[in-house]
Amino acid sequence: VQGTFDDAQAIVKSCFRDIEFRDKVKLAAVNSINWARILAQIVYYFYAYLRIVPKEEKGAMEPISFSVPTGNFGDILAGYYAKRMGLPVDQLVVATNENDILHKFFSKGEYFRPQMVTPTISPSMDICVSSNFERFLYHMNDNDTSKMNEIMKGFEETLKLKASDELLLRCQSQMLSERLTGEEINKTIAENFKTHGYLLDPHSAIGVGAATKLERDGKLHEGVPMVCLACAHWGKFSEAVGAAIGEAKLKELHFPDELEALKTMETRKVILPAVEEKIKDHVLNTI
């Protein structure tokens, strides 16, 4: 789609609202528009807890925290649900890149859509409006559908949402946030590779870097384990990690055979304008 992630997601959501089209093509979503995706992601948090907290301590429900690279807000929403299900989650960190609409909300209570997305080295997080954030706000507003309808209508009309002091405090009681610049992402990748021999992809580095900044600023609870959720293999972003650790070091590393094989395979794609009817026509003509 000739446009941004937000353009494409808006078209997908609109297609779902077209009941006749949705049923005719049996439309389904594989990203977190579909709540089943979030349901599966909840498992990550329980699995991590069972791996991190020593067996002899589990009976005491020792707390654990998570730093989550966040774009569309699905993965960290899963962490919120895991906490509500009883997992002893202490802090949830919303880690963003320079497209920091979420960081601005959690730090200032301002959820203002920018005019355009900023291209970064973590493209999967280059999102202006986070689709799942309104699900979180729904819970923070006592599951009041009428109130949420009013809030989201106002946001759609003005592209701005200003939280009340009460709402902001509620949200901050559940999550805190931090943002990283491209330079900070590169620094995080390089330092972790040098210190631990582990090469982070740019998205995973945001989770690690955000937790590091918050710890430095004294905003993390002392003695609580922090799990940084990873996003992808570094090999998918070799240009970015090469810039961080140096091309010479990158050439010494072994790329996964599966990624190497992709380089010689045929690429098939159709480029379409960010126009809903054009997308629908393509779907109808190809199924």
Side-chain angles (χ1 to χ4, degrees), residues 181-221:
T181 64
E183 183 179 346
E184 289 173 321
I185 295 170
N186 282 335
K187 183 179 179 181
T188 301
I189 293 172
E191 288 182 349
N192 275 267
F193 185 64
K194 181 180 179 180
T195 304
H196 304 293
Y198 187 90
L199 187 53
L200 296 161
D201 85 280
H203 306 78
S204 305
I206 292 172
V208 174
T212 301
K213 288 179 71 174
L214 289 169
E215 182 180 36
R216 181 195 65 200
D217 295 341
K219 295 180 180 179
L220 298 185
H221 296 160

Side-chain angles (χ1 to χ4, degrees), residues 122-184:
S122 48
S124 296
M125 295 165 62
D126 290 348
I127 297 172
C128 285
V129 177
S130 301
S131 178
N132 290 286
F133 185 58
E134 60 190 87
R135 286 171 167 158
F136 176 68
L137 288 180
Y138 166 71
H139 297 303
M140 295 299 99
N141 280 285
D142 299 317
N143 301 347
D144 187 330
T145 54
S146 297
K147 192 171 184 178
M148 273 307 300
N149 185 49
E150 180 184 340
I151 289 173
M152 295 315 298
K153 273 189 174 180
F155 177 71
E156 290 172 6
E157 291 171 1
T158 65
L159 303 181
K160 294 181 179 181
L161 188 162
K162 176 64 175 170
S164 65
D165 292 343
E166 180 185 2
L167 176 59
L168 179 58
L169 286 173
R170 279 193 175 193
C171 294
Q172 290 174 334
S173 72
Q174 299 298 324
M175 301 178 185
L176 68 162
S177 67
E178 188 54 84
R179 76 187 287 273
L180 263 70
T181 64
E183 183 179 346
E184 289 173 321

Side-chain angles (χ1 to χ4, degrees), residues 3-15:
T4 65
F5 173 91
D6 295 271
D7 296 329
Q9 182 161 255
I11 291 171
V12 172
K13 285 185 173 183
S14 182
C15 288

Side-chain angles (χ1 to χ4, degrees), residues 65-83:
S65 296
F66 294 89
S67 180
V68 188
T70 305
N72 216 23
F73 209 79
D75 206 355
I76 196 160
L77 183 65
Y80 168 75
Y81 287 135
K83 183 177 182 178

